[in-house]
Amino acid sequence: HPPTHPPAHVTFARTMAAPLSVECRALGPGDVVAGGCTFGTTGAPGMHERITQEDCDACMSALLAAGVREFDTAPWYGAGTSEERMGRSLANTASAAAPGAVRVFTKVGRLYVEPDGVTPCGPGYDAPGRATADERIVLNDYTAAGAKRSLKESLARMGLDSVYGLRIHDPNDNNKYDGTVDEVAIAAAEAGACTALRELRQEGVIKHVGLGMNCNKEAHQGAPEDIIRLIRSAGPGTFDSALLAGGWNLLSQAGQQCLVECEQQGIDVYIAGIYASGLLVGGSTYAYMAAPQEMVDKTQKWRDLAQKHNFSLPALAWAFATLPKCVKKVVVGMATKAQVEETMGYMREASRVPASLWTEARELGLLAADVPLPPPQ
């Protein structure tokens, strides 16, 4: 039977955590990763716009022209249609990039089958007579066999021979999880997805192993303790990076200890959810639900502070997200050429945010005392 509790050798005694190392820094286009929402059935996180394949192609052209070279997707995004759209856009536009310069990441842990519950969802989602994305069935599988099957099916949907990296996606924190099994323990076990990904990297099939999980802590979403447990139970050297979403932004720092763990283990962090799923960039959602009044009010206080210092709120979101030294990439969903241009503008603007602003934010009660601040410039 699948394990239903953490392995006995994994302990979580609370100790004094080392502080997170932070500094003000500037990022470039090569530090930006186009997130899965870019090529799924929705637009930028929290904005919920419908997009076409033509929109995806135009967005891909704009991303490549801007210097973005990394793309993140997953079977979960659009029930496999994000992968397919990304693959089509790469085929249509990737000639704009140097050969081999583009890096594609997808994820394992969720498989998609047709409504018969058996047939894998292959390419051609928009062919006449195909089941809609909403009619497809998701099956959770965090085993080694499931990971290898997932890679095969993802490559077929994308029309690619290979991907640069694979990430284990949301164990114990997904819409199919009911608490009866421990998907983190399954993934970290000898016959689990971690083993498969290490083997694929050793064989040269992929070059990069990661995880992709929500590090916020909401009633409906987020499992920071499981992130740390997966990193520790998978063993040293398993993960090259951790894509951490939702728990390190202006509104939530619930994932801070996950970043500390990554820093201590030498794991690069790809930070996502920097706009809190939309609220920090003009949307109305927080953690993919209607924003509670508390967060609406806090967002307004951040907006007031940004305006006082002549910055846009999204630029402050960028600047804060990149303070930890372990953050190497920022993952953002962009659905149109205009959003690509906006994103690059926010990134450049963020480089001018001074360290003194974060001290002022703490004095205003916007940042807790345990959130590390960069030294004065």
Side-chain angles (χ1 to χ4, degrees), residues 340-362:
V340 173
E341 293 171 351
E342 274 187 340
T343 297
M344 295 301 147
Y346 296 147
M347 178 193 69
R348 291 188 293 269
E349 185 184 354
S351 67
R352 305 196 304 272
V353 175
S356 58
L357 186 145
W358 308 118
T359 301
E360 185 174 350
R362 175 176 286 172

Side-chain angles (χ1 to χ4, degrees), residues 8 42 64-65 116 118 174 182 190 201 239 242 244 261 279 291 301 326 330 341 351-352 357 370:
T42 60
L64 293 172
D116 63 12
V118 177
N174 56 74
D182 184 349
E190 184 176 353
R201 183 177 56 192
F239 296 111
L244 304 180
E261 184 75 19
L279 194 54
K301 292 178 181 179
C326 60
V330 179
E341 293 171 351
S351 67
R352 305 196 304 272
L357 186 145
D370 64 347

